[in-house]
Amino acid sequence: MRAFLRVADAREESDPQLKEWVRQVREIAYDTEDVLERYMLRFASHDTSGFRGYYKKVCASLKNLKARHQIASEIKAIRSRLENAYKRQQTFRDIYPIMNQGSTSSPAWYDGRGDALLLEEVDGVGIENPKERLLAWLSSIDYGLKVISVVGMSGLGKTTLVKKVFDDTSVEMNFDHDAWIAVSESFKVENLLQDIIKRLLKDVKQPPPQGLEAMKADDMREFIYNLLQNKNYIIVLDDIWTQNVWEAIRYAFPRRATHGRGYIIITTRFNNIGHTACSESNGHVYKLEPLSEEKSRELLYRKAFPRNSCPPYLEEISERILNICEGLPLAIVVIGSLLVTKNKKIEEWEMFYRSVGSELEGDHLKRISKLLSLSFYDLPYHLKACFLYLRIFPEDELVNKATLIRLWIAEGFVEAKQGKTMEEIAEGYMNELLNRSLIQVAETFSDGRPRSFHIHDLVREYIISKAREQNIASVATLYGFSNPTQQVYKGKNLRSLLFFGPGNSEWGPILYEVMSGGCRMLKVLELRGAPIDAIPDEVFKLYHLNHYERIQGFTASYEMGRLLCLQKLCYINLADAGGDRIKIVREIGKLTQPRRLGITKLRREDGKELYSSLAKLTNLRSLNIVSFEEESIDLEYPLSPSTFPFLQTLELQGRLERIPQWIGSLNALIRLNLIGSRLQEDPLQYIQGLPNLLLLKLYRGSYERQELSFKAGGFQRLHTLSLARLKGLRWVRAEKGSMPLLHNVVMWHCESMREMPVGIEHLENLKYVDFTDMAEEFVERLIDEKRKGDQWRLAHVPQVVVYNRVNGKWKTRQL
């Protein structure tokens, strides 16, 4: 069934009858999964007694016979439904060629560029500055080939912008040849090359060469090359969907010339296509952004009130509608043109605002919906479920990348690949959605990696509509409603329960009831900010649970070792565990799949048992340990270098006698945070050889001596160094050859330091330096050195910022 759905998926949108049949097969597949997982839940062993125990449990227990018979009956009923669906395939014989050929063709092409080109002059609001930028690039006197890429999501006006540039008088006057080529999604290289030749020759009133249709692709490339050699030309390739387009025609254009200037302008929603095409010619990428609030308002008012201004009583509802559009010009134009028919009746405007989702499904906003459908159906099959899963997040909430990746994995959307972790594969999925401009980066880490992203409101409405249609992410998602009497789905097949809070405290009893009820099929439990103090013991008996996330510390059950599929567990609070504390630490070692583990209020005497448990967790990617108040963390037990082969993040918060030596063998470690460690011995000597360390943080008295010295050859990949609240630290030295890739230095409230780190001038790749709340003498010396000009050791750093308090208020200085 899954194989059939994967293949039929590419055709269902263009065939309503096939679409209905696919819907039926999809429902049967979901029901089959339910039956199989209930079987696993009913008969799988929760102990470690091996196959013999499993065999006895299934075959020797008389009480299981009834359950086995019931499941067998359910499977028989599913087979009958599937046979009936199979008989219906006689109506859809055309599915067989699809399955045999493995076709992944998209539904009938909808040329959304036509919408953009039909925008009138009055609609070109907000493109003045982008147009000037592109014209400035086109005025370059460099000979040879330059590629300019205009990149952005559907509906931003990429085509409109480039058409304004293409039609500008200065462009017409300065180029011998010009051609505008609309690239179809299912292009053929021969047809594309023929189109280019015809357009170029038509522009100079020459007929196409005889036998053009019969020419080979190589011959056509050579013809274009000779035609454009030493000529001034501009060619627009509008709406490129695949890298293959550029690969197929790139060598048709002269790259070096003694006289001619050639420009290729590409519009695409794919970031990688835009950057790749520009890289070879040292060209330019222009990332088109949404309109500002002011320009969005101007455009809406022009369309909705063509001869008048906006009446005061419609201003508030206008702002709400603009919030939906989020600066997307095509959306504003289409919606404005629709609102002009509402005759300025506020009740009709309100009705439209409430029904935007259904309007996307109807005829009114069909153009926007079609553009989004093109992007959706162009996605690989495995990405479609991941994309539609985004419906679970509340409106206007930034989506945390790490959380979403873990949810995708727990839901089973990520396909395993040899040589890659599931997290790496899932991160590739997210990068592809970003590349296709279906989601936008909202926040980044200090090293530039995406931290969270944003979903455009209209994209979200489309996702909700399509997910409802395909029954994707039908989960009980609790958004922290103020009225806890609303019904919460408590069905026996509930798979995911997510609470995005903050919610009314009265939700607590309802959550307890749901979690301790009959939700035995639960795979995903997200209780971020949930108003509860403890987790019911029943949760730790959920055999299928893959993802369990709760930011606040909680008291774990000593039976949590049953959660064999659990991938994230944080933060376990050992302070209130009493006599069960050691049992809980031992239970941690029974978990086989955890990727992230967080433990708080660890006592010194727990160290040995913790060491024994940690040694079994070979899949860990992230480990956070926090000690109980001022107690030391005892982690001096030897661990094999192969114990944590995948550990990428390690945070130790609490006093350490010395830095555990096994940290130096964590070859996969990317981030290391030491907080309150009170180390007397220089920790750098043990960690400077870590081959993949990108981020090092030493916070709140983690080091108590006066000097930190970064030796030559150490920290070869370090990207960010943060030192904060190290009261005793007076000198930092960076020998030449240390930290060659360091981009960011952040020093905060190191009150004993009086001067900049010695050797900071050797860190040639520094991009950002931040000195916050440092001693006044430190700041004065810094400013004095800047005044001297040629002795300024940070002259090579693009951004140097100083934050300090003046009269109780933070003051910022850019040096």
Side-chain angles (χ1 to χ4, degrees):
M1 284 187 282
R2 284 179 173 170
F4 165 79
L5 291 171
R6 178 183 290 271
V7 176
D9 170 83
R11 281 284 301 275
E12 63 171 307
E13 184 67 11
S14 59
D15 190 331
Q17 291 180 312
L18 177 60
K19 189 173 185 177
E20 172 59 22
W21 189 38
V22 168
R23 185 191 65 79
Q24 295 171 8
V25 175
R26 187 179 286 119
E27 288 182 358
I28 296 173
Y30 289 155
D31 292 343
T32 303
E33 187 175 0
D34 288 343
V35 172
L36 293 175
E37 291 193 353
R38 282 203 300 275
Y39 176 86
M40 291 170 62
L41 180 67
R42 184 68 181 84
F43 296 117
S45 172
H46 284 195
D47 56 34
T48 56
S49 55
F51 177 79
R52 181 175 297 177
Y54 176 83
Y55 184 82
K56 288 175 64 177
K57 184 169 183 141
V58 175
C59 299
S61 176
L62 292 176
K63 68 179 182 180
N64 283 335
L65 292 177
K66 182 178 179 181
R68 291 166 62 196
H69 182 268
Q70 179 182 353
I71 289 175
S73 298
E74 291 179 358
I75 292 177
K76 184 176 181 181
I78 284 176
R79 289 178 64 91
S80 176
R81 290 169 60 192
L82 194 58
E83 287 172 2
N84 290 333
Y86 179 74
K87 291 175 182 177
R88 297 190 193 101
Q89 62 85 19
Q90 301 301 325
T91 313
F92 308 104
R93 288 183 179 274
D94 62 329
I95 194 64
Y96 284 115
I98 300 174
M99 297 192 72
N100 291 335
Q101 297 170 14
S103 171
T104 56
S105 60
S106 297
W109 174 255
Y110 171 78
D111 193 352
R113 296 162 303 197
D115 294 329
L117 292 176
L118 289 174
L119 295 179
E120 301 171 1
E121 181 68 33
V122 72
D123 300 332
V125 173
I127 68 169
E128 298 86 358
N129 291 336
K131 179 183 175 182
E132 289 179 8
R133 174 69 66 85
L134 265 61
L135 287 174
W137 287 339
L138 291 175
S139 65
S140 167
I141 61 173
D142 294 342
Y143 295 123
L145 177 67
K146 286 273 188 185
V147 180
I148 298 173
S149 297
V150 179
V151 180
M153 70 177 293
S154 302
L156 270 181
K158 300 183 295 294
T159 301
T160 305
L161 167 63
V162 175
K163 193 68 169 67
K164 298 293 184 186
V165 172
F166 187 77
D167 292 339
D168 191 82
T169 306
S170 64
V171 173
E172 292 180 357
M173 293 174 57
N174 292 323
F175 291 97
D176 306 320
H177 295 273
D178 61 60
W180 182 285
I181 311 296
V183 184
S184 70
E185 184 187 17
S186 54
F187 85 103
K188 290 185 177 179
V189 62
E190 292 81 6
N191 294 342
L192 181 59
L193 291 169
Q194 288 173 18
D195 200 8
I196 293 174
I197 292 173
K198 290 177 181 177
R199 297 295 177 94
L200 289 172
L201 292 176
K202 183 179 180 181
D203 181 56
V204 293
K205 297 182 173 54
Q206 292 183 20
Q210 290 186 347
L212 176 61
E213 283 71 18
M215 288 177 67
K216 295 180 180 179
D218 286 341
D219 294 333
M220 286 189 280
R221 291 189 192 96
E222 184 178 357
F223 182 91
I224 296 171
Y225 187 96
N226 292 331
L227 177 65
L228 298 177
Q229 184 69 45
N230 291 326
K231 300 287 181 59
N232 294 329
Y233 64 92
I234 179 171
I235 297 174
V236 174
L237 301 174
D238 187 30
D239 207 8
I240 290 185
W241 279 73
T242 69
Q243 191 71 41
N244 294 338
V245 173
W246 179 245
E247 295 294 329
I249 64 175
R250 57 196 283 206
Y251 294 116
F253 310 110
R255 294 175 174 273
R256 292 187 179 138
T258 55
H259 301 294
R261 295 183 299 124
Y263 288 94
I264 309 294
I265 301 182
I266 287 172
T267 70
T268 181
R269 66 195 68 185
F270 296 88
N271 293 301
N272 64 330
I273 293 176
H275 285 275
T276 301
C278 291
S279 61
E280 294 179 353
S281 68
N282 195 27
H284 306 281
V285 177
Y286 190 89
K287 187 168 179 59
L288 194 58
E289 300 292 344
L291 295 178
S292 65
E293 289 185 20
E294 179 184 356
K295 293 296 184 181
S296 297
R297 191 179 300 111
E298 178 186 347
L299 183 56
L300 179 68
Y301 286 2
R302 286 191 185 186
K303 299 303 295 184
F305 314 106
R307 288 175 294 277
N308 307 98
S309 59
C310 175
Y313 65 89
L314 288 178
E315 288 180 355
E316 193 272 337
I317 183 64
S318 295
E319 293 303 311
R320 281 189 277 148
I321 290 173
L322 282 173
N323 287 337
I324 296 173
C325 297
E326 293 190 41
L328 203 63
L330 181 60
I332 297 171
V333 169
V334 172
I335 289 174
S337 301
L338 176 61
L339 292 174
V340 78
T341 67
K342 304 298 184 183
N343 299 318
K344 302 179 184 177
K345 294 181 179 179
I346 191 170
E347 61 273 14
E348 294 192 25
W349 283 54
E350 289 280 358
M351 187 181 302
F352 170 81
Y353 174 75
R354 293 194 303 269
S355 61
V356 167
S358 58
E359 293 282 358
L360 277 175
E361 299 175 15
D363 293 332
H364 297 306
L365 303 184
K366 192 172 184 179
R367 285 185 285 179
I368 299 173
S369 184
K370 281 288 187 181
L371 282 173
L372 295 174
S373 287
L374 276 179
S375 294
F376 174 71
Y377 280 99
D378 186 65
L379 286 172
Y381 180 80
H382 63 273
L383 271 183
K384 290 180 179 175
C386 294
F387 180 58
L388 297 184
Y389 191 75
L390 297 175
R391 70 165 295 188
I392 71 172
F393 293 96
E395 186 176 1
D396 298 326
E397 176 173 297
L398 295 183
V399 180
N400 180 271
K401 182 189 82 169
T403 296
L404 181 62
I405 281 177
R406 285 189 290 268
L407 288 171
W408 278 347
I409 294 171
E411 294 284 1
F413 295 154
V414 180
E415 301 175 348
K417 291 183 180 179
Q418 188 173 1
K420 285 190 174 183
T421 66
M422 298 295 274
E423 287 78 9
E424 289 170 341
I425 298 167
E427 187 157 0
Y429 289 4
M430 183 167 296
N431 289 337
E432 183 61 23
L433 293 180
L434 287 167
N435 175 50
R436 291 168 177 263
S437 302
L438 289 170
I439 57 178
Q440 286 81 44
V441 174
E443 298 174 330
T444 61
F445 290 102
S446 57
D447 59 2
R449 293 176 301 112
R451 181 172 190 164
S452 65
F453 60 87
H454 167 73
I455 308 168
H456 193 285
D457 277 358
L458 288 176
V459 174
R460 185 174 180 275
E461 291 293 342
Y462 177 83
I463 289 172
I464 291 173
S465 170
K466 186 59 65 174
R468 187 186 305 117
E469 175 186 304
Q470 297 196 3
N471 198 24
I472 295 288
S474 295
V475 297
T477 307
L478 310 184
Y479 295 102
F481 297 114
S482 59
N483 181 8
T485 61
Q486 296 188 45
Q487 289 294 318
V488 177
Y489 178 69
K490 293 178 282 187
K492 61 182 180 179
N493 291 329
L494 180 66
R495 304 302 182 87
S496 303
L497 178 63
L498 305 105
F499 190 96
F500 287 103
N504 192 300
S505 60
E506 296 179 33
W507 269 104
I510 295 178
L511 285 172
Y512 278 119
E513 182 182 351
V514 172
M515 289 188 292
S516 59
C519 302
R520 302 297 305 281
M521 306 291 286
L522 207 62
K523 283 185 174 181
V524 179
L525 182 61
E526 170 101 11
L527 298 176
R528 185 179 301 232
I532 56 178
D533 299 320
I535 307 298
D537 288 345
E538 285 78 6
V539 169
F540 297 96
K541 301 174 184 177
L542 297 174
Y543 176 76
H544 291 299
L545 197 64
N546 289 318
H547 175 94
Y548 176 76
E549 179 164 356
R550 189 168 189 263
I551 296 303
Q552 294 84 357
F554 69 94
T555 303
S557 166
Y558 64 85
E559 295 183 287
M560 66 181 178
R562 295 170 177 262
L563 302 177
L564 300 181
C565 297
L566 194 67
Q567 295 185 11
K568 177 179 179 181
L569 187 62
C570 60
Y571 291 87
I572 303 172
N573 185 344
L574 296 177
D576 301 324
D580 292 330
R581 197 172 73 247
I582 296 300
K583 291 182 180 178
I584 291 173
V585 174
R586 288 174 179 168
E587 285 290 300
I588 292 172
K590 295 181 181 180
L591 302 171
T592 59
Q593 298 297 323
R595 263 63 171 175
R596 181 176 180 186
L597 176 65
I599 302 171
T600 66
K601 305 300 178 66
L602 183 78
R603 292 186 178 275
R604 180 175 177 82
E605 59 265 29
D606 302 330
K608 186 174 182 179
E609 289 295 341
L610 178 62
Y611 151 77
S612 180
S613 291
L614 290 178
K616 303 171 185 176
L617 306 184
T618 56
N619 286 315
L620 272 184
R621 268 67 173 179
S622 176
L623 176 62
N624 299 66
I625 298 176
V626 182
S627 70
F628 182 77
E629 296 179 354
E630 293 297 317
E631 291 198 23
S632 297
I633 303 175
D634 184 12
L635 295 176
E636 284 300 312
Y637 303 94
L639 286 175
S640 165
S642 61
T643 300
F644 297 130
F646 307 118
L647 192 67
Q648 296 178 335
T649 298
L650 176 63
E651 179 170 300
L652 302 178
Q653 184 170 342
R655 185 171 182 174
L656 297 169
E657 299 295 333
R658 63 175 183 170
I659 189 168
Q661 311 247 337
W662 50 265
I663 294 180
S665 66
L666 301 177
N667 290 333
L669 199 65
I670 294 175
R671 292 172 287 277
L672 175 60
N673 301 345
L674 299 179
I675 304 173
S677 307
R678 298 173 63 178
L679 293 169
Q680 295 295 324
E681 183 182 15
D682 186 349
L684 303 184
Q685 58 183 312
Y686 300 109
I687 60 176
Q688 63 180 352
L690 290 171
N692 289 299
L693 191 66
L694 298 180
L695 178 64
L696 175 62
K697 292 183 178 181
L698 303 179
Y699 280 9
R700 293 208 313 265
S702 57
Y703 180 63
E704 295 190 329
R705 296 185 66 180
Q706 294 186 349
E707 182 176 347
L708 268 177
S709 183
F710 293 85
K711 302 295 185 183
F715 299 100
Q716 288 294 294
R717 292 196 63 193
L718 196 66
H719 184 281
T720 298
L721 173 66
S722 293
L723 307 174
R725 293 191 178 276
L726 304 180
K727 294 184 178 181
L729 186 64
R730 296 179 64 85
W731 301 284
V732 175
R733 302 182 188 277
E735 294 183 1
K736 191 172 184 178
S738 69
M739 303 180 286
L741 301 181
L742 195 67
H743 279 200
N744 306 312
V745 170
V746 178
M747 301 188 69
W748 177 44
H749 196 64
C750 295
E751 58 189 41
S752 296
M753 287 194 66
R754 294 296 182 265
E755 60 179 272
M756 274 195 300
V758 176
I760 197 170
E761 65 274 13
H762 301 316
L763 306 177
E764 298 177 354
N765 284 302
L766 274 183
K767 301 292 188 295
Y768 176 78
V769 174
D770 178 346
F771 296 120
T772 296
D773 202 21
M774 302 294 281
E776 187 62 29
E777 183 180 342
F778 179 96
V779 176
E780 288 176 359
R781 286 190 177 185
L782 191 68
I783 295 173
D784 185 58
E785 184 178 321
K786 174 68 183 299
R787 289 197 194 103
K788 294 179 181 178
D790 59 342
Q791 298 182 26
W792 176 232
R793 287 179 290 161
L794 294 179
H796 63 294
V797 182
Q799 188 174 12
V800 179
V801 181
V802 176
Y803 296 93
N804 60 337
R805 283 186 177 275
V806 178
N807 298 325
K809 295 182 180 180
W810 284 104
K811 182 179 179 181
T812 306
R813 301 180 188 178
Q814 296 279 350
L815 298 183

